[in-house]
Amino acid sequence: QYGPYWYPTDLSRNWTNVNVPAVHWGGWYDFFNKGTLASFNGYHYLGGPGARGSSYLIMSPGGHCPTGEYPWPANSFSNIAFNIGFALFQAVAAGEDPNSIGYHHIILYVMGSSTVDPLQTPSGNFWICTDEWPAVVLTPMYLNTERRLSQAPPAGANSMTIVADPSIPVETVGGDNLIWPSCGPWDQRAVERRYDVVSFDSAPLTEPLAIVGNVSLTIFISSTAVDTDIVAKVVDVYQDGTAYNVLDNGLRMRWRESDEVPTFMEPGVVYEVTIDLFSTAYVFDAGHTIRLDLTSSNYPRFSLNRNNGQLLAESNGENIIAYNTLHYGNTYVSALNLPVVNFDGLKLLECQP
């Protein structure tokens, strides 16, 4: 539980005390995805005089695991983080301007579909180099009454209930894991066949759709329990039906208002919540479908919620089956929020670091 004990070591409360530049190197499928980006933004835009405007961000596709179910393209491997780090260290040690080392401040790998896809050549899988984050248009994909994702606002209202049984949690298959056999992108179809996973699909895309930045889900939920989890996953569905995860995260409802003070639910009351799905740089190919999977567990990526309102350390082991109802449509406007970037403009930033 976050609280005053952690304040002195929490950099997000102390950015102005940071007075040295840094190289922030992370991966889109890494457990520390969010922290890497937050650290760069804190150093580069909010830091003290020695750090502000002088830090560097490199985001590659991987994470603490070497790859996913399919290998990363050969062009995704680069020594750029080491090269920048060495040049920055030399400049700072010599008392020189950290901005004089000749590198862009933001270097991102824009992921795409698998290069072994037999039906098409991916539009993604390239690096971009820039000094400012690409301009994005926050685009809501609404959950509509036909279990579809659409940019058109929904006309009707609907709801569906997910059974959250802690004794049979939804298993982790891929994702932003720290140490787990299946990290990165993995085919989700076996998980999606479970009775306690519901999916919303877009229409097949008519052209590539690029997203670069933070993705979130706005959702309305009620439950029979005083505490439960809602877990969301963004999936790229290929033309042959293969479904690879791009992003996922969850929210424990007791922490929906604060990281420090739990706020329990009142059974039957509808709550609006926003789930931070972390950030990515990804191109969904033409002909592909964007899918949103919703459930109430992803174990062991996230600890079990016994739905009994107790902290895990205090729990007596009692499992309560929760019935979690998702509300969407024109009354409760739920949406997947995507940071859409102009694809042609993105390609103008392409580089090979």
Side-chain angles (χ1 to χ4, degrees):
Q1 185 171 336
Y2 183 76
Y5 175 84
W6 301 103
Y7 292 171
T9 56
D10 183 352
L11 271 178
S12 68
R13 293 174 170 268
N14 300 283
W15 292 125
T16 55
N17 293 334
V18 178
N19 275 298
V20 291
V23 178
H24 304 265
W25 179 22
W28 296 123
Y29 280 101
D30 189 51
F31 183 80
F32 299 105
N33 168 314
K34 183 176 181 179
T36 301
L37 293 165
S39 294
F40 169 74
N41 288 329
Y43 275 59
H44 196 66
Y45 299 109
L46 303 173
R52 186 173 300 188
S54 301
S55 290
Y56 295 83
L57 172 69
I58 301 99
M59 292 295 287
S60 60
H64 275 69
C65 293
T67 185
E69 190 172 19
Y70 59 81
W72 305 124
N75 73 339
S76 68
F77 298 95
S78 173
N79 291 323
I80 187 62
F82 298 104
N83 296 339
I84 293 178
F86 184 69
L88 184 62
F89 180 83
Q90 286 187 312
V92 173
E96 299 172 355
D97 183 358
N99 295 303
S100 67
I101 62 176
Y103 292 98
H104 288 280
H105 289 280
I106 299 174
I107 301 175
L108 312 175
Y109 191 80
V110 180
M111 300 181 295
S113 54
S114 168
T115 55
V116 298
D117 181 0
L119 297 180
Q120 66 187 140
T121 301
S123 301
N125 298 322
F126 58 89
W127 291 92
I128 63 169
C129 298
T130 179
D131 288 317
E132 297 293 338
W133 199 267
V136 305
V137 177
L138 190 62
T139 304
M141 300 283 286
Y142 297 102
L143 284 63
N144 71 27
T145 55
E146 299 174 346
R147 286 176 60 173
R148 305 286 290 183
L149 291 176
S150 172
Q151 293 186 34
N158 208 344
S159 64
M160 65 172 51
T161 298
I162 297 173
V163 179
D165 185 345
S167 68
I168 49 171
V170 176
E171 64 275 18
T172 295
V173 178
D176 297 359
N177 302 306
L178 182 59
I179 302 174
W180 184 249
S182 61
C183 300
W186 280 73
D187 191 349
Q188 300 297 306
R189 285 178 291 181
V191 173
E192 292 169 343
R193 285 193 286 268
R194 288 181 55 125
Y195 76 98
D196 50 0
V197 177
V198 298
S199 299
F200 292 78
D201 287 359
S202 73
L205 299 173
T206 58
E207 60 184 7
L209 187 145
I211 59 173
V212 181
N214 182 254
V215 177
S216 66
L217 173 68
T218 302
I219 189 77
F220 291 81
I221 181 173
S222 60
S223 179
T224 58
V226 296
D227 182 41
T228 192
D229 291 355
I230 180 71
V231 177
K233 185 180 297 177
V234 178
V235 179
D236 182 1
V237 184
Y238 291 23
Q239 295 183 67
D240 66 359
T242 307
Y244 286 114
N245 54 298
V246 178
L247 289 164
D248 68 88
N249 199 14
L251 175 68
R252 186 146 295 179
M253 288 296 290
R254 75 176 73 173
W255 305 118
R256 68 189 181 276
E257 296 181 4
S258 167
D259 292 332
E260 301 185 42
V261 181
T263 305
F264 293 100
M265 305 173 72
E266 182 178 339
V269 174
V270 179
Y271 296 91
E272 178 184 1
V273 296
T274 297
I275 302 175
D276 181 356
L277 295 175
F278 290 15
S279 297
T280 191
Y282 194 89
V283 180
F284 295 91
D285 275 317
H288 287 213
T289 295
I290 301 172
R291 174 173 292 165
L292 173 67
D293 289 338
L294 295 171
T295 186
S296 285
S297 54
N298 183 358
Y299 181 80
R301 171 153 158 67
F302 302 116
S303 61
L304 288 178
N305 190 336
R306 299 187 184 277
N307 302 322
N308 59 18
Q310 296 177 319
L311 295 173
L312 290 177
E314 302 169 351
S315 177
N316 61 10
E318 178 188 9
N319 286 334
I320 294 177
I321 296 177
Y323 296 88
N324 300 330
T325 301
L326 310 174
H327 304 265
Y328 53 95
N330 58 2
T331 303
Y332 297 105
V333 183
S334 297
L336 176 66
N337 305 301
L338 300 177
V340 175
V341 176
N342 179 273
F343 177 71
D344 292 333
L346 197 62
K347 289 290 287 184
L348 294 176
L349 302 175
E350 185 173 0
C351 63
Q352 184 55 51

